[in-house]
Amino acid sequence: MFAVHLMAFYFSKLKEDQIKKVDRFLYHMRLSDDTLLDIMRRFQAEMEKGLAKDMNPTAAVKMLPTFVRAIPDGSEKGEFLSLDLGGSKFRVLKVQVAEEGKRHVQMESQFYPTPSEVIRGNGTELFEYVADCLADFMKTKGLKHKKLPLGLTFSFPCRQTKLEEGVLISWTKKFKARGVQDTDVVSRLTKAMRRHKDMDVDILALVNDTVGTMMTCAYDDPHCEVGVIIGTGTNACYMEDMSNIDLVEGDEGRMCINTEWGAFGDDGALEDIRTEFDRELDLGSLNPGKQLFEKMISGLYLGELVRLVLLKMAKAGLLFGGEKSSALHTKGKIETRHVAAMEKYKEGLANAREILVDLGLEPSEADCIAVQHVCTIVSFRSANLCAAALAAILTRLQENKKVERLRTTVGVDGTLYKIHPQYPKRLHKVVRKLVPSCDVRFLLSESGSTKGAAMVTAVASRVQAQRKQIDEVLALFRLTQEQLVDVQAKMRAELEYGLKKKNHTLATVRMLPTYVCGLPDGTEKGKFLALDLGGTNFRVLLVKIRSGRRSVRMYNKIFAIPLGIMQGTGEELFDHIVQCIADFLDYMGLKGAPLPLGFTFSFPCRQMSIDKGALIGWTKGFKATDCEGEDVVDMLREAIKRRNEFDLDIVALVNDTVGTMMTCGYEDPNCEIGLIAGTGSNLCYMEDMRNIEMVEGDDGKMCINTEWGGFGDNGCIEDIRTRYDTEVDEGSLNPGKQRYEKMTSGMYLGEIVRQILIDLTKQGLLFRGQISERLRTRGIFETKFLSQIESDRLALLQVRRILQELGLDSTCEDSIVVKEVCGAVSRRAAQLCGAGLAAVVEKRREDQGLEHLKITVGVDGTLYKLHPHFSRILQETVKELAPQCDVTFMLSEDGSGKGAALITAVAKRIQQARKEN
Ligand code: BG6
Ligand code: BG6
Ligand code: GLC
Ligand code: GLC
């Protein structure tokens, strides 16, 4: 019993001594947590540097864009060829992705040797060899007659400008074929394949092994957005936000970046942690001074590092009694598999003895323990360094996503990671320590990079096909210059047509006289009430105009009009309006004073005078019964009477376009056009009386409310209407009516977008082909959402968040498409609106016989005000289509209410004058 204890004591003492000895000797290889954090930070800086356009040329870590933009989503399918060159083994494969709609991948593969005379000989011969192996594979598998796309896994740093091209920056690891560096390996291989006349293969994708690994793992776990190789070489890739990748155009979505972290330190950034062994190993390598980080980590070098340490220890008399064997002196005699074997938990010591004996040494028990510990320190350092760099990537992902906790998956491959007994555990532990705010899952790639490469190839062909389908839809919304000129001409014709007496009741662009004959002249004064009904908000206002000073004070209150009332009976609607007026008067303490009132009513009315107008038909979201054909001023008067609480003097009925023109005209006398681009779309302008056949008199001007929203109701713009416009029209309150408005205004743009999204989803191009209840809901995309989604300042994730808030569960890729759809729809709207406006200003210019016309347009409406691009595109279009007109756009800040009050003031003055006469 005692002897056993003594033995145990002796052994643990021996072990302790050896470990202490090695620890002292390799002090420099043991990295503290602080050092690792420091390395992690250095690597973060390296990534920044590599991603920045100006710094990239001198950056050691190249951060290479891969042009892989999406991880697999399960819809990949097809049959592909794959080559896998650059790891410990060279393979040719046939990959069948997704059989019978299942997520399933079938692979058949064949390994081929890579003799050193091939991989370190002449470059052309290397590619010919690869092509020969492929030909052989195709022959054995009976594939020669087939035209198959090929994905090439090529595990070396390549500069890519597209998926199917890659210029070799430099060979690494064991390869050093002449004349390949700085050439495109895809065309090199393609050329070599041409020697085989019976082979028809198209290389669709060039993929680094890290990328292949990430894609392989992402096929099973969609959270996988990092790929790491710890094999012959070491490297990592991850999904980076496009907005951070200076080297590639475009800001949307993400792209996989091949970091080529093996080159970390090539600029001297790691000199403080490199040891004499690292330097010696580097000097004896194929690429001295290069891949310095890789040389401290990967399988090709780990055994050699151990050998160099053992040799030095032996020389110092710390091992093998100072004896060295010739094998120990020979480069490459200790390999990574030896290191792994010596570190095995149980058999490790026995393995160590065996391996050392094989090296011609005579190790003591103490030597074996010491050698085992050397292996541990070297491989531990490797895992630590890998962990530090990986932690930097995870931190970057977390920062990009702006999340407090990152949940992600890292796909890993490589012989060192796979065969070393402790490596994965150590790596995982250190990563979790360095980035405690990340929940990382490590997923071992079971089937190598090629499965992922096939996925990239499949994704490439899918994206290509889908892009084509999406482009086809968006193309329907792209108007050519000729089409816009045509719209302008047609609008012009409609304007002329509507002004003629004989056509007046038939016209679709109704050209309604408003009985507003002049702009304010500054002499207006008094206190007025105003109503503003028909836009987004219903308002009641008190407007105080002080004469001479062109100053106006306004008090207003917004009231809601419930849907039930908008679409109930006319009586209910007008009673509700009067109720709101009563509330306002109460609120302002105004009851009893019968103030003159201007009624902004944003619907088409046939006016007989300034205070009389029959509603022609509801538009937008209103549909109250018993109003069409009725004089709305009368209806309001009757409702006031019904209430019998107060009296009001309704002086003027005003369309919102007219109110807007007046509001702006108060400040700029050149403002002779009023434009609304809001819930609805409409325009009014000052027309010469002589052109207005329906109203007597030829002198002066009168404002015409064009009601251009009805443009196209006679079918004249069917050529540019799409199936989506038809769909929106059919689902509206007024089918067949207001066709131009339905292509240009806020109430409908979102609906058009929704119809397109439904269609794209049906085609399987969006939302994973699932049409959600939400997407079926009318009106989900209000103007404000469209405006937010299209804002340039918004990162894709924010777009995604908006969509999610709307209840649409979208991926980043979906979000890109949604944004594009919104862009196409709103762009067309702005252009169409611009073409209409160009028709009006050109008409005015020609009517006045002017070479150049200078005119101001007063504008209002949420679409114009909120949308990030609408106003600009509108203005550009007008400039292009009416180059002889100098059009100033003046935003109405105060709404139509102010203009309505001004009109009321003028009307009141005339009324008074008439009475006095
Ligand atoms: C394999 C991949 O699984 O892992 C290769 O298919 C890759 O493409 C390799 O290069 C990395 O490991 P190793 O150890 O073979 O270099
Ligand atoms: C407001 C006007 O500013 O703009 C309303 O006061 C008008 O009269 C409205 O109808 C138009 O914009 P929207 O987007 O509210 O319909
Ligand atoms: C080397 C190559 C790199 C590859 C890695 C792992 O570092 O340069 O492209 O990913 O080895 O195989
Ligand atoms: C609708 C109305 C019109 C109004 C426009 C803007 O087109 O018919 O009268 O001016 O919307 O609100």
Side-chain angles (χ1 to χ4, degrees):
M1 198 58 201
F2 180 70
V4 173
H5 277 285
L6 198 64
M7 271 297 287
F9 173 76
Y10 169 76
F11 186 76
S12 64
K13 177 82 175 70
L14 178 75
K15 197 167 168 185
E16 205 182 302
D17 289 348
Q18 293 308 314
I19 285 174
K20 272 194 190 144
K21 177 175 81 184
V22 173
D23 277 350
R24 263 196 310 275
F25 191 77
L26 291 181
Y27 173 78
H28 212 55
M29 276 200 175
R30 297 168 58 217
L31 305 173
S32 68
D33 287 356
D34 282 345
T35 308
L36 291 180
L37 280 170
D38 183 33
I39 293 170
M40 167 179 152
R41 274 182 224 113
R42 285 189 224 177
F43 191 67
Q44 278 176 293
E46 290 294 329
M47 288 197 286
E48 285 290 343
K49 204 170 155 188
L51 286 171
K53 200 174 198 154
D54 49 337
M55 312 247 262
N56 178 276
T58 57
V61 178
K62 284 298 179 201
M63 304 295 283
L64 302 167
T66 64
F67 294 82
V68 169
R69 294 172 192 266
I71 60 166
D73 68 357
S75 66
E76 297 76 11
K77 55 174 187 281
E79 204 180 0
F80 307 95
L81 284 170
S82 209
L83 289 173
D84 190 352
L85 182 70
S88 51
K89 287 188 173 134
F90 168 43
R91 279 207 286 181
V92 184
L93 304 93
K94 189 193 94 168
V95 188
Q96 171 85 44
V97 184
E99 227 177 343
E100 294 149 24
K102 279 180 281 175
R103 244 180 202 252
H104 179 71
V105 176
Q106 232 178 15
M107 304 204 289
E108 288 174 55
S109 77
Q110 166 115 36
F111 289 103
Y112 289 89
T114 46
S116 63
E117 59 279 14
V118 170
I119 64 174
R120 293 199 279 274
N122 173 301
T124 304
E125 282 164 21
L126 166 65
F127 288 108
E128 285 175 0
Y129 173 76
V130 172
D132 291 348
C133 295
L134 178 64
D136 175 74
F137 178 80
M138 290 177 79
K139 194 171 153 211
T140 14
K141 299 283 170 197
L143 294 170
K144 278 233 160 151
H145 58 283
K146 274 197 174 173
K147 183 177 167 65
L148 291 176
L150 181 140
L152 168 61
T153 305
F154 186 70
S155 311
F156 301 97
C158 290
R159 200 171 288 289
Q160 295 188 265
T161 54
K162 47 184 169 208
L163 192 57
E164 66 281 13
E165 183 195 279
V167 173
L168 178 69
I169 297 176
S170 59
W171 287 116
T172 56
K173 302 177 284 192
K174 292 186 216 165
F175 281 61
K176 207 174 168 105
R178 291 184 301 279
V180 183
Q181 198 176 311
D182 298 326
T183 67
D184 169 25
V185 293
V186 173
S187 37
R188 294 294 293 270
L189 181 57
T190 306
K191 202 170 156 202
M193 288 190 310
R194 272 195 219 118
R195 286 163 55 253
H196 299 265
K197 300 277 174 264
D198 50 352
M199 215 162 90
D200 188 7
V201 174
D202 198 7
I203 307 176
L204 275 196
L206 175 76
V207 183
N208 186 264
D209 54 354
T210 52
V211 183
T213 297
M214 179 185 81
M215 296 297 272
T216 297
C217 294
Y219 190 61
D220 299 323
D221 177 351
H223 287 293
C224 182
E225 48 190 349
V226 182
V228 174
I229 296 281
I230 308 168
T232 314
T234 183
N235 190 14
C237 72
Y238 72 102
M239 296 301 289
E240 175 62 270
D241 291 358
M242 277 291 286
S243 55
N244 294 330
I245 308 175
D246 281 3
L247 293 167
V248 184
E249 251 187 86
D251 260 359
E252 309 207 308
R254 301 204 293 174
M255 183 180 280
C256 178
I257 289 287
N258 166 16
T259 64
E260 285 294 330
W261 77 18
F264 182 25
D266 288 6
D267 57 357
L270 294 175
E271 283 319 293
D272 55 331
I273 62 157
R274 287 180 74 223
T275 64
E276 55 180 300
F277 308 107
D278 297 307
R279 287 179 230 282
E280 200 178 336
L281 175 136
D282 177 46
L283 284 177
S285 71
L286 280 179
N287 51 352
K290 298 274 165 61
Q291 301 291 101
L292 299 184
F293 192 56
E294 178 162 84
K295 285 171 184 164
M296 292 193 270
I297 294 173
S298 76
L300 184 59
Y301 309 103
L302 222 54
E304 182 64 3
L305 277 177
V306 168
R307 186 186 69 84
L308 293 173
V309 173
L310 299 190
L311 186 61
K312 175 105 193 271
M313 285 184 82
K315 281 183 181 165
L318 293 168
L319 281 178
F320 319 126
E323 293 294 322
K324 298 138 286 188
S325 64
S326 76
L328 192 61
H329 271 112
T330 311
K331 194 175 131 190
K333 277 288 173 190
I334 299 182
E335 295 175 25
T336 296
R337 61 189 168 91
H338 299 133
V339 177
M342 290 192 275
E343 283 191 66
K344 279 237 166 98
Y345 181 59
K346 277 189 184 134
E347 319 90 289
L349 269 186
N351 289 343
R353 173 175 303 282
E354 204 174 300
I355 290 164
L356 293 171
V357 169
D358 278 352
L359 288 172
L361 298 160
E362 286 170 24
S364 65
E365 186 71 23
D367 287 336
C368 292
I369 293 170
V371 169
Q372 190 179 43
H373 195 54
V374 169
C375 292
T376 305
I377 289 184
V378 171
S379 64
F380 224 122
R381 184 183 68 153
S382 162
N384 276 338
L385 290 173
C386 247
L390 180 54
I393 290 180
L394 295 173
T395 307
R396 193 169 171 91
L397 275 175
Q398 187 176 17
E399 283 168 4
N400 282 350
K401 293 190 181 181
K402 300 186 179 67
V403 289
E404 264 175 40
R405 286 205 76 77
L406 175 73
R407 184 177 161 222
T408 196
T409 299
V410 175
V412 199
D413 205 344
T415 35
L416 175 55
Y417 184 85
K418 278 182 179 166
I419 65 164
H420 190 288
Q422 265 89 255
Y423 205 96
K425 234 187 303 149
R426 291 178 190 160
L427 178 80
H428 305 170
K429 197 170 158 192
V430 182
V431 168
R432 289 182 180 125
K433 191 156 70 181
L434 292 176
V435 274
S437 57
C438 292
D439 300 316
V440 195
R441 176 178 182 228
F442 289 88
L443 189 60
L444 184 65
S445 158
E446 300 287 357
S447 31
S449 303
T450 34
K451 176 168 153 185
M455 228 54 81
V456 173
T457 316
V459 169
S461 44
R462 177 190 56 159
V463 166
Q464 238 168 33
Q466 292 189 337
R467 194 60 245 177
K468 215 173 127 226
Q469 279 172 278
I470 293 168
D471 282 344
E472 273 165 17
V473 168
L474 295 184
L476 301 173
F477 289 83
R478 226 162 277 133
L479 299 175
T480 62
Q481 182 77 8
E482 293 89 77
Q483 283 174 312
L484 288 171
V485 169
D486 186 49
V487 170
Q488 178 184 10
K490 284 174 178 161
M491 177 66 92
R492 173 71 182 267
E494 295 293 325
L495 298 173
E496 308 281 4
Y497 183 87
L499 285 172
K500 302 277 178 284
K501 197 169 185 169
K502 62 176 191 317
N503 306 333
H504 198 55
T505 49
L506 302 170
T508 45
V509 176
R510 292 178 184 276
M511 306 299 280
L512 303 167
T514 63
Y515 297 87
V516 169
C517 295
L519 293 171
D521 66 1
T523 62
E524 299 77 9
K525 62 171 191 219
K527 263 196 210 171
F528 304 90
L529 277 180
L531 299 181
D532 191 348
L533 178 75
T536 313
N537 295 308
F538 169 49
R539 278 201 194 87
V540 186
L541 307 92
L542 173 69
V543 184
K544 291 183 187 170
I545 310 172
R546 276 180 280 178
S547 81
R549 289 200 267 153
R550 287 197 179 248
S551 92
V552 165
R553 287 178 75 173
M554 300 202 292
Y555 309 85
N556 78 77
K557 214 166 172 220
I558 291 175
F559 295 92
I561 302 194
L563 195 70
I565 292 205
M566 281 161 76
Q567 298 173 13
T569 69
E571 250 187 45
E572 281 166 353
L573 172 62
F574 280 92
D575 283 346
H576 179 77
I577 293 171
V578 173
Q579 167 74 53
C580 297
I581 300 174
D583 282 357
F584 181 74
L585 293 177
D586 262 348
Y587 172 73
M588 298 294 295
L590 280 172
K591 265 208 184 143
L595 292 174
L597 177 138
F599 182 12
T600 306
F601 183 70
S602 310
F603 302 94
C605 289
R606 198 173 297 289
Q607 285 187 253
M608 285 63 82
S609 63
I610 187 81
D611 62 350
K612 256 182 158 3
L615 173 64
I616 297 176
W618 287 115
T619 56
K620 300 180 282 191
F622 281 70
K623 191 95 192 159
T625 56
D626 310 320
C627 297
E628 294 180 354
E630 300 297 319
D631 180 352
V632 292
V633 176
D634 277 348
M635 292 193 76
L636 181 59
R637 282 203 186 105
E638 273 157 30
I640 294 172
K641 243 189 251 157
R642 273 200 295 283
R643 190 173 178 95
N644 198 17
E645 231 176 66
F646 51 84
D647 200 13
L648 290 174
D649 175 13
I650 309 168
V651 179
L653 177 67
V654 183
N655 186 265
D656 55 353
T657 52
V658 185
T660 297
M661 182 182 78
M662 283 303 194
T663 301
C664 295
Y666 195 52
E667 262 125 67
D668 178 352
N670 213 18
C671 179
E672 294 206 331
I673 297 180
L675 172 68
I676 298 281
T679 314
S681 171
N682 192 14
L683 172 139
C684 73
Y685 72 103
M686 295 305 290
E687 176 61 276
D688 297 325
M689 278 294 284
R690 63 186 149 86
N691 291 336
I692 310 173
E693 288 187 2
M694 309 74 78
V695 184
E696 299 221 344
D698 273 351
D699 296 335
K701 299 183 202 174
M702 182 183 278
C703 177
I704 292 289
N705 167 16
T706 64
E707 285 294 330
W708 78 7
F711 177 45
D713 290 2
N714 57 4
C716 71
I717 51 171
E718 286 313 291
D719 56 329
I720 57 166
R721 285 179 81 229
T722 67
R723 54 182 186 272
Y724 309 104
D725 296 304
T726 312
E727 201 79 46
V728 168
D729 178 47
E730 282 167 5
S732 70
L733 285 177
N734 49 353
K737 301 270 168 64
Q738 302 290 99
R739 295 190 195 173
Y740 181 66
E741 175 162 85
K742 285 170 186 165
M743 298 166 91
T744 52
S745 79
M747 182 162 168
Y748 305 100
L749 295 195
E751 276 303 278
I752 303 174
V753 167
R754 195 175 65 85
Q755 290 301 338
I756 300 175
L757 299 188
I758 289 178
D759 186 40
L760 293 181
T761 310
K762 275 189 195 152
Q763 294 186 49
L765 302 168
L766 265 184
F767 306 132
R768 302 170 194 89
Q770 301 292 312
I771 300 183
S772 59
E773 228 11 79
R774 237 2 234 164
L775 197 57
R776 272 189 235 280
T777 313
R778 206 171 282 163
I780 51 167
F781 284 108
E782 291 168 39
T783 310
K784 68 173 182 224
F785 290 122
L786 285 196
S787 304
Q788 282 171 8
I789 287 170
E790 283 191 64
S791 161
D792 289 331
R793 287 190 301 267
L794 223 57
L796 204 62
L797 274 174
Q798 289 168 290
V799 175
R800 189 174 168 191
R801 202 164 303 142
I802 294 172
L803 292 176
Q804 280 167 347
E805 271 165 30
L806 285 173
L808 298 174
D809 182 19
S810 74
T811 62
C812 274
E813 283 70 32
D814 289 339
S815 309
I816 296 177
V817 176
V818 173
K819 190 170 172 175
E820 274 183 278
V821 169
C822 291
V825 171
S826 65
R827 181 176 186 81
R828 184 189 67 161
Q831 287 179 325
L832 285 177
C833 204
L837 180 53
V840 174
V841 291
E842 268 298 288
K843 175 175 173 4
R844 287 308 291 151
R845 186 185 67 77
E846 284 175 24
D847 283 355
Q848 293 170 66
L850 295 173
E851 186 66 28
H852 284 282
L853 173 75
K854 203 171 153 37
I855 195 163
T856 299
V857 179
V859 201
D860 207 340
T862 37
L863 183 57
Y864 189 90
K865 281 180 173 167
L866 298 183
H867 194 279
H869 310 302
F870 185 91
S871 58
R872 177 181 46 79
I873 299 170
L874 166 70
Q875 293 174 18
E876 284 168 3
T877 310
V878 174
K879 214 177 211 156
E880 260 165 45
L881 298 181
Q884 283 160 280
C885 299
D886 175 4
V887 184
T888 305
F889 290 82
M890 182 174 178
L891 194 63
S892 159
E893 301 289 353
D894 303 321
S896 305
K898 175 169 157 185
L902 289 165
I903 293 169
T904 308
V906 176
K908 192 74 198 160
R909 196 173 59 208
I910 296 169
Q911 218 180 51
Q912 221 102 45
R914 252 192 233 132
K915 258 189 218 157
E916 279 159 25
N917 277 340

